[in-house]
Amino acid sequence: MTSGLQIKDEDCGFNKNLFCVPKHYEDDLERVFIPHGLILDRTERLARDIMQDMGNHPIFALCVLKGGYKFFADLMDHIKALNRNTDQSVPITVDFVKTKSYCNDIPTGTVSIIGEELSAFKGKNVLVVEDIIDTGKTIQTLLSRIKEYEPQMVKVVSLLVKRTIRSSGYKPDYIGFEIPDKFVVGYALDYNEYFRDLNHICILNEKAKEKYKL
Ligand code: IMP
């Protein structure tokens, strides 16, 4: 396990006017925090690391929706490219599970797991693909459910891990970026379902948090 690309507490990202963002979100964004290109470049390397460790057996990849769908799709594309272009190649099967634990930018304290058929994991090498780990509660709840079905191996990759005092101490096997304790949106991460349709990972301004508040 490595700690991923470290983004320091004092790093505040980039001026949004230097990037292309959708017109409908222009007034809502404070800064571009992680540009889309950097996300893709880091994901390419994660795919290589995962294949080095798990590439000897078929992989059962589990996407944690909704926030994980972009990362999942791009990670799978990189893994498929490795399968096509290197001597090592393994079949990948995919499945999806939906979790919910936030309202506005605040954790609700409960984790719901919706629509899962986790019994398919028995004896498999499972790769859980998450968008972000904050307290660690969502992933730990999901992992304990998966483990009831006796997979052969479970590895977790998370695009982002927050450095926060709320953390349970849980660390995934593979980490894209370790980020400061900020609420981020974009690249399928949402604020009350908005901003999933934004390529870059961004920080919202306070006006936007009010505008889209439930
Ligand atoms: P945890 O259970 O506290 O680790 O929270 C993980 C879940 O909360 C993620 O799967 C996201 O859905 C959501 N989440 C946590 N932090 C953020 C954030 O900064 N932006 C958007 N969603 C977040």
Side-chain angles (χ1 to χ4, degrees):
M1 194 246 300
T2 63
S3 47
L5 193 158
Q6 300 276 324
I7 300 183
K8 298 200 183 82
D9 286 351
E10 57 274 23
D11 287 346
C12 58
F14 305 93
N15 181 343
K16 65 180 177 184
N17 298 324
L18 300 174
F19 292 83
C20 293
V21 296
K23 189 106 192 114
H24 55 273
Y25 290 144
E26 233 166 37
D27 295 338
D28 302 325
L29 305 177
E30 186 77 39
R31 309 275 292 173
V32 169
F33 196 53
I34 312 178
H36 187 233
L38 182 56
I39 299 170
L40 295 182
D41 288 338
R42 179 75 190 116
T43 302
E44 182 180 18
R45 178 54 198 252
L46 287 171
R48 197 171 97 181
D49 293 347
I50 289 165
M51 282 299 275
Q52 257 160 19
D53 293 350
M54 299 184 75
N56 292 322
H57 300 279
I59 298 174
F60 195 113
L62 182 70
C63 171
V64 184
L65 295 171
K66 296 180 188 170
Y69 92 87
K70 277 297 295 167
F71 176 47
F72 184 80
D74 289 330
L75 183 70
M76 288 307 119
D77 279 351
H78 284 301
I79 289 179
K80 285 184 323 192
L82 290 171
N83 267 338
R84 286 194 303 275
N85 297 311
T86 56
D87 290 339
Q88 189 187 21
S89 119
V90 288
I92 311 286
T93 48
V94 300
D95 209 343
F96 301 86
V97 68
K98 194 167 161 187
T99 62
K100 185 161 175 55
S101 55
Y102 260 67
C103 179
N104 301 321
D105 54 352
I106 299 170
T108 54
T110 55
V111 178
S112 1
I113 301 173
I114 308 153
E116 82 279 35
E117 191 31 88
L118 304 179
S119 57
F121 297 143
K122 196 171 169 67
K124 305 266 171 59
N125 285 2
V126 179
L127 175 69
V128 182
V129 184
E130 255 284 21
D131 54 351
I132 184 164
I133 293 173
D134 182 350
T135 62
K137 204 168 160 182
T138 304
I139 189 68
Q140 284 177 304
T141 306
L142 182 59
L143 284 177
S144 63
R145 295 288 294 281
I146 292 172
K147 283 176 182 163
E148 285 170 24
Y149 294 94
E150 300 171 353
Q152 179 165 291
M153 172 205 278
V154 184
K155 298 266 189 191
V156 177
V157 55
S158 185
L159 177 63
L160 307 174
V161 171
K162 272 189 204 175
R163 273 190 306 278
T164 167
I165 49 163
R166 295 182 305 282
S167 168
S168 64
Y170 173 83
K171 284 272 166 64
D173 302 282
Y174 309 96
I175 300 173
F177 300 86
E178 192 183 288
I179 65 167
D181 192 2
K182 296 179 194 293
F183 191 82
V184 291
V185 296
Y187 195 66
L189 283 99
D190 75 312
Y191 178 83
N192 296 331
E193 298 301 328
Y194 291 94
F195 304 102
R196 295 196 199 274
D197 55 332
L198 178 64
N199 273 0
H200 311 296
I201 292 179
C202 296
I203 298 173
L204 292 180
N205 59 34
E206 290 307 315
K207 234 172 70 192
K209 288 186 185 171
E210 267 312 302
K211 180 170 155 192
Y212 297 102
K213 199 171 185 162
L214 291 180

